[in-house]
Amino acid sequence: MAKTKRIEGILSPVVTPFGKDYAPDAQRFVRHCRWLLKNGCAGLAVFGTNSEANSMSVAEKRKLLEALLAGGVPASALMPGTGHCALSDSIEMTKAAVELGCAGVLMLPPFYYKGVSDEGLFRNFAAVIERVGDERLQLYLYHIPPVSQVAITFGLIERLLSKYPGIVAGVKDSSGDWNNTKGMLDNFAKGGFDVFAGSEEFLLANMRGGGKGCITATGNVNPGAINELYKNWRSGEADKMQAAITATRKLVQKQPMIPALKATIAHFGNDPQWKTCRPPLVELNSSQEEQLIRDLKGNGFTMPGLAG
Amino acid sequence: MAKTKRIEGILSPVVTPFGKDYAPDAQRFVRHCRWLLKNGCAGLAVFGTNSEANSMSVAEKRKLLEALLAGGVPASALMPGTGHCALSDSIEMTKAAVELGCAGVLMLPPFYYKGVSDEGLFRNFAAVIERVGDERLQLYLYHIPPVSQVAITFGLIERLLSKYPGIVAGVKDSSGDWNNTKGMLDNFAKGGFDVFAGSEEFLLANMRGGGKGCITATGNVNPGAINELYKNWRSGEADKMQAAITATRKLVQKQPMIPALKATIAHFGNDPQWKTCRPPLVELNSSQEEQLIRDLKGNGFTMPGLAG
């Protein structure tokens, strides 16, 4: 079976809207995904850390994925998160994503047990790949030790690439450590392993090093400017563009990131229900929210067309 | 509806047997649970950390719970783990446990996001309690920061006890910090909040401080001796008994705990399939295994009746 073309460019780990009862809101979700694809995102890494994905069940995520496709979002733009602490959940979600035709999946290591061995992590990814058993699978590893507390080491990448070439497609590096991203580029990028920076702060450096783009939280609110740098990274303006998008990011991350993204969408989309987070996360308090909006407006920030 | 009597004494966080294909093995699971109840356990904290519970889906755990009841294990002896990182999974699993008549549930906080607020954790537990909506629910909080990285603070306990008296029943403290357990006893035990030590190392101290027993990994292999101390904690022999069970524990925990428990059951039960762990955990290597068995035998350790 033919593989779909790999996604390159800017991907947003799409925030998930919830109702007052904490139920996922498929309608708002589809609307925001469509806005992102119109405004600079090449792809959507739905069900990432910023999506509160680990606060949702497999069944809830499958439903949202089906709603996206029914709502006209192309599967070729989708790289859903499918890694869970339970092997069986990872298999079920990955299988669903592949069967729906998603371009790839972004997979966390199992993250409950700490200090686990590379052998154990290898067996986890190998079991998922073999149980899914589908040549279309494009698996991106998700390295985010500050949250997962379980790392994807270079040794593990090497072993997976060697056993499953053509399936293991790349990585999102959210370590926040440029030296680690650089090491991934230097060791693996030439072999067709696509490295995405986990923040637009490293977008220019990642492109210069042979990477393929970034998958970034603030892609939820600032995709246009981030994509401009992606398209023009070889231009003389690139460093200036990098400084501008980094400055915007820093304004957002003065507040807790996920509720800040939601408050930004709520404000610029004129839709307060967006502020709700599912426990254990909580929305910004009013002074955090005022500070955020004041900072963004002071910087000339807009989200064109969002309020529709 | 009448609440069942609360469990007191020794509980085992029962290890879960898997087949070569990593599927949970209900038959071996039921057999081990029955052995534990015959050999000193007052209750079974199935689906705990030592059960590799977070490596299993809700559906897999429900099936195992149903197999236990079908296999003659009384619901009044069961305190299944029902806390997941996904709120919806915690609700589903807790509801299933209550509907099956389990004496209680042992609930992890959601553990993917780190640095979350007590407000967010309160909302999580409150949402579970209210969605389950059943007076029979006896909720034990599971404090295990070395693994979950998310703590159950005294402030959170106080708030939950005040809002849900009669539902919030106690805690398992696996912090490994006696001062924390002592603080829980001093602050909450008199109000009917049952404190279980997370290791038999603290069993005697916990009983002297007004606690109700312990929920301990090595309860899987040494329940008889641990229960003897529980029954005789006021006797003059208690300190000596404590020293003996602590010594046995230390032999087991020289190796990685979960595979060591499984290797012990495999050896003394003459059933090698017990060694299998689900990824990301791996079985002991042969030198670890030999060391473990040598240590245990050298100490006169037995598991009477296990090999059946």
Side-chain angles (χ1 to χ4, degrees):
Chain A
M1 205 138 199
K3 291 177 192 291
T4 46
K5 198 177 167 313
R6 284 195 187 165
I7 304 173
E8 298 183 8
I10 309 311
L11 290 92
S12 171
V14 186
V15 287
T16 308
F18 294 104
K20 286 188 211 313
D21 60 353
Y22 304 136
D25 178 338
Q27 206 182 340
R28 280 185 172 85
F29 187 58
V30 173
R31 204 188 311 142
H32 190 56
C33 284
R34 292 173 61 106
W35 182 86
L36 290 167
L37 290 175
K38 265 193 208 151
N39 286 274
C41 284
L44 303 172
V46 297
F47 315 144
T49 298
N50 288 285
S51 315
E52 298 169 81
N54 291 305
S55 301
M56 293 191 280
S57 67
V58 170
E60 288 173 322
K61 287 181 272 197
R62 284 184 75 143
K63 266 195 203 167
L64 286 176
L65 207 49
E66 287 160 6
L68 285 183
L69 297 175
V73 171
S76 59
L78 291 172
M79 189 193 287
T82 64
H84 297 76
C85 42
L87 175 61
S88 33
D89 285 340
S90 298
I91 292 170
E92 184 184 344
M93 192 70 213
T94 304
K95 197 176 276 188
V98 173
E99 282 168 2
L100 291 170
C102 294
V105 302
L106 183 55
M107 204 176 300
L108 278 169
F111 50 82
Y112 181 68
Y113 296 101
K114 310 304 188 289
V116 296
S117 64
D118 272 6
E119 170 65 23
L121 294 175
F122 177 82
R123 289 186 194 178
N124 169 77
F125 288 109
V128 174
I129 291 169
E130 296 189 2
R131 299 299 168 83
V132 171
D134 194 313
E135 288 286 311
R136 292 172 296 179
L137 173 61
Q138 294 287 284
L139 190 156
Y140 297 82
L141 300 161
Y142 186 8
H143 179 59
I144 183 170
V147 185
S148 65
Q149 306 276 328
V150 175
I152 308 285
T153 66
F154 291 10
L156 177 62
I157 295 173
E158 197 168 351
R159 203 171 151 196
L160 285 167
L161 270 175
S162 142
K163 180 83 185 258
Y164 303 106
I167 298 278
V168 176
V171 71
K172 173 184 180 186
D173 183 6
S174 294
S175 64
D177 172 7
W178 169 249
N179 286 328
N180 190 68
T181 311
K182 189 174 181 315
M184 287 176 168
L185 289 164
D186 293 347
N187 282 283
F188 306 113
K190 279 179 190 151
F193 184 77
D194 293 352
V195 176
F196 290 87
S199 161
E200 73 273 34
E201 276 186 85
F202 303 114
L203 176 57
L204 185 53
N206 192 46
M207 297 311 296
R208 285 173 176 161
K212 297 295 185 183
C214 70
I215 304 175
T216 180
T218 33
N220 272 289
V221 296
N222 197 29
I226 301 171
N227 188 45
E228 282 305 305
L229 171 56
Y230 172 74
K231 288 190 296 180
N232 299 291
W233 69 269
R234 285 187 171 93
S235 85
E237 298 296 294
D239 286 289
K240 209 173 123 188
M241 295 167 87
Q242 177 66 70
I245 62 174
T246 298
T248 300
R249 181 181 177 96
K250 288 198 185 300
L251 296 178
V252 179
Q253 71 185 19
K254 276 165 71 176
Q255 313 303 336
M257 179 61 87
I258 299 169
L261 294 170
K262 291 185 143 183
T264 303
I265 296 168
H267 179 85
F268 290 94
N270 197 19
D271 183 4
Q273 184 53 44
W274 257 105
K275 291 185 215 171
T276 300
C277 295
R278 192 175 252 203
L281 300 190
V282 299
E283 66 286 353
L284 298 186
N285 64 37
S286 57
S287 82
Q288 291 172 315
E289 192 181 324
E290 283 161 24
Q291 177 74 55
L292 170 72
I293 302 305
R294 195 162 53 236
D295 284 344
L296 287 171
K297 285 186 168 168
N299 199 42
F301 176 86
T302 57
M303 291 181 75
L306 187 70
Chain B
M1 205 138 198
K3 291 179 194 287
T4 46
K5 197 177 167 313
R6 284 195 187 166
I7 304 174
E8 299 184 7
I10 309 310
L11 290 91
S12 172
V14 186
V15 286
T16 308
F18 294 104
K20 286 188 210 315
D21 60 353
Y22 305 136
D25 178 338
Q27 208 182 338
R28 279 185 172 85
F29 186 58
V30 173
R31 204 187 312 143
H32 191 55
C33 285
R34 292 173 61 106
W35 183 86
L36 290 167
L37 291 176
K38 264 192 209 153
N39 285 276
C41 284
L44 302 172
V46 297
F47 316 144
T49 298
N50 288 286
S51 316
E52 298 169 81
N54 291 305
S55 301
M56 293 190 280
S57 68
V58 170
E60 289 172 322
K61 288 180 272 197
R62 285 184 74 143
K63 266 195 203 168
L64 286 177
L65 207 50
E66 287 160 7
L68 285 183
L69 297 175
V73 171
S76 59
L78 291 171
M79 189 193 287
T82 64
H84 298 75
C85 43
L87 174 61
S88 32
D89 285 339
S90 299
I91 292 169
E92 184 184 343
M93 191 72 214
T94 304
K95 197 176 276 185
V98 173
E99 283 168 2
L100 291 170
C102 294
V105 302
L106 183 55
M107 205 177 298
L108 278 170
F111 51 82
Y112 181 68
Y113 296 100
K114 310 303 187 290
V116 297
S117 64
D118 271 6
E119 170 65 21
L121 293 176
F122 177 82
R123 288 186 194 178
N124 169 78
F125 288 109
V128 174
I129 292 169
E130 295 188 4
R131 296 301 168 81
V132 171
D134 193 315
E135 288 286 311
R136 291 173 296 177
L137 174 60
Q138 294 289 283
L139 190 157
Y140 296 82
L141 299 161
Y142 186 8
H143 178 60
I144 182 168
V147 185
S148 65
Q149 308 275 327
V150 174
I152 308 286
T153 66
F154 291 10
L156 177 61
I157 295 173
E158 196 169 352
R159 203 171 151 197
L160 285 167
L161 270 175
S162 142
K163 179 83 186 257
Y164 303 106
I167 297 276
V168 176
V171 72
K172 173 184 180 186
D173 182 7
S174 294
S175 64
D177 171 6
W178 169 249
N179 286 328
N180 191 69
T181 311
K182 188 174 181 317
M184 287 176 169
L185 288 164
D186 292 348
N187 281 284
F188 306 114
K190 280 180 191 151
F193 183 77
D194 293 351
V195 176
F196 290 87
S199 162
E200 73 272 34
E201 277 186 82
F202 303 114
L203 175 57
L204 184 53
N206 192 47
M207 297 311 296
R208 285 173 177 162
K212 298 294 184 183
C214 69
I215 304 175
T216 180
T218 33
N220 273 287
V221 294
N222 197 29
I226 303 172
N227 188 45
E228 282 306 303
L229 171 56
Y230 172 73
K231 288 190 297 181
N232 298 292
W233 70 268
R234 284 186 171 94
S235 85
E237 299 296 294
D239 286 289
K240 210 173 123 189
M241 295 168 86
Q242 176 68 68
I245 61 175
T246 298
T248 300
R249 181 181 177 96
K250 287 196 187 301
L251 295 178
V252 179
Q253 71 184 19
K254 275 165 72 177
Q255 314 302 336
M257 179 60 89
I258 298 169
L261 295 171
K262 291 184 143 184
T264 304
I265 296 168
H267 179 84
F268 290 94
N270 197 19
D271 184 3
Q273 184 52 45
W274 257 105
K275 292 185 214 171
T276 300
C277 295
R278 191 175 255 202
L281 300 190
V282 298
E283 66 286 354
L284 298 187
N285 64 38
S286 57
S287 81
Q288 291 172 317
E289 194 181 322
E290 283 161 25
Q291 177 75 55
L292 170 71
I293 301 304
R294 195 162 54 236
D295 284 344
L296 288 172
K297 285 187 168 168
N299 199 42
F301 177 86
T302 57
M303 292 181 75
L306 187 70

